Amino acid sequence: MISARNLVKRFGLKSVLRGLDFEVAEGEFVGLLGPNGAGKTTFLRILASLARPSLGRVEVAGFSLPEQAAQVRRRLGVLSHQPLLYPDLTGEENLTFFGRLYNVQNLPERIRNVLALVGLEGRGRDLVRTYSRGMQQRLAIGRAVIHDPDILLLDEPYTGLDQDASAMLDDVLRKVTAEGRTVVMTSHDLVRAQDLCSRFDVLTRGRILASASRQDVPPDGLQAFYRRSVSSLEPGRAGAHDG
Ligand SMILES: Nc1ncnc2c1ncn2[C@@H]1O[C@H](COP(=O)(O)OP(=O)(O)O)[C@@H](O)[C@H]1O
Ligand SMILES: [Mg+2]
């Protein structure tokens, strides 16, 4: 579903991605882990066709980027740091706006289904600025799936949510992903990643230098896997190799 080969992204003289390779098969739920500044957001923005790689090849859902960005966007749902919602419109009006952008058929029915999917039935007629942060995040997920995309890219979806809101987001993500979608999610929250993801990739030094499938990581073992993956690459440690 997603393939990136030898991806390089530079900002001026700084190389953020340095020959990154990444493959995702249909139905996988990949947790993209890595320290702050590793390039996770940059990489997701390239997959979402919101930024161009300096070098390398990207294919998403069988289309090449950046040439076929329009086809890719139709198959993608993206949740980024900004919720991309209009606070002075109602939840329904927001979904109507984004549904029309994507030319969604039977939109009123689709909106009812999406509001139910994200647990906002009964709140669709309220202004988004009256929603809690957790409700806004769930509506943002509704917005991201309104056109029934095959692939979801989620950048730190739990940021700023309290415990209850995070638990609700867990339920929503489970439902949304149970529909057979392919998901790539960045997260600092290793407990949630361990629960949700079928695979864990660690982005450090501009590449994916460690990857493990869910079966390979013991319960509660993601923290240890992550620490190992990151610390073996710090300069001055045994086995360190600078790229
Ligand atoms: N538009 C930009 N211009 C210059 N530097 C950028 C830009 N976007 C990101 N960076 C830099 O790229 C690095 C990776 O950032 P980012 O992708 O946001 O990392 P992460 O999401 O893993 O925390 C950081 O050092 C950041 O400062
Ligand atoms: Mg980021």
Side-chain angles (χ1 to χ4, degrees):
M1 272 315 243
I2 301 175
S3 157
R5 296 272 166 74
N6 199 24
L7 213 59
V8 173
K9 179 66 178 179
R10 296 188 199 102
F11 293 109
L13 293 176
K14 179 174 179 161
S15 291
V16 173
L17 305 179
R18 308 192 207 179
L20 180 150
D21 292 310
F22 184 71
E23 299 282 334
V24 183
E26 188 171 352
E28 280 192 289
F29 190 142
V30 178
L32 187 63
L33 314 174
N36 281 332
K40 303 180 296 295
T41 295
T42 300
F43 179 45
L44 283 198
R45 285 177 53 80
I46 291 173
L47 294 181
S49 82
L50 300 171
R52 282 169 179 251
S54 307
L55 283 175
R57 294 178 46 79
V58 184
E59 277 186 24
V60 177
F63 297 98
S64 303
L65 286 177
E67 299 81 12
Q68 295 175 299
Q71 287 96 320
V72 167
R73 281 185 202 143
R74 297 199 65 79
R75 286 160 182 85
L76 274 186
V78 179
L79 182 68
S80 63
H81 292 276
Q82 302 84 19
L84 296 179
L85 299 168
Y86 295 99
D88 290 324
L89 297 183
T90 67
E92 274 182 21
E93 286 166 346
N94 269 277
L95 293 179
T96 301
F97 177 83
F98 289 102
R100 285 194 186 138
L101 277 185
Y102 286 106
N103 201 17
V104 172
Q105 303 301 298
N106 303 322
L107 189 53
E109 189 190 344
R110 178 69 187 150
I111 287 174
R112 273 197 304 279
N113 292 340
V114 166
L115 285 173
L117 180 71
V118 301
L120 288 174
E121 59 272 83
R123 297 301 302 266
R125 304 254 158 106
D126 296 342
L127 297 182
V128 166
R129 64 178 152 75
T130 69
Y131 285 14
S132 68
R133 164 95 180 109
M135 290 167 68
Q136 292 193 13
Q137 192 67 329
R138 281 184 278 135
L139 185 64
I141 289 177
R143 187 216 78 229
V145 301
I146 189 76
H147 56 304
D148 199 15
D150 300 322
I151 302 173
L152 274 179
L153 304 178
L154 310 173
D155 197 2
E156 305 285 353
Y158 289 93
T159 300
L161 299 188
D162 64 23
Q163 296 243 331
D164 287 350
S166 294
M168 280 209 79
L169 186 60
D170 281 344
D171 285 346
V172 167
L173 287 183
R174 269 188 238 286
K175 279 196 239 163
V176 163
T177 56
E179 297 176 350
R181 293 198 169 91
T182 304
V183 186
V184 181
M185 175 178 85
T186 71
S187 184
H188 282 117
D189 188 333
L190 296 182
V191 176
R192 295 228 130 72
Q194 175 131 29
D195 268 7
L196 290 164
C197 300
S198 62
R199 191 180 110 197
F200 315 102
D201 282 14
V202 183
L203 174 51
T204 34
R205 308 204 155 217
R207 283 183 229 147
I208 309 283
L209 289 178
S211 178
S213 70
R214 189 189 182 82
Q215 301 90 280
D216 298 337
V217 178
D220 303 322
L222 186 58
Q223 186 94 22
F225 166 75
Y226 176 74
R227 290 246 175 82
R228 244 185 353 262
S229 308
V230 175
S231 69
S232 65
L233 298 162
E234 277 171 15
R237 299 232 187 162
H241 51 92
D242 204 336

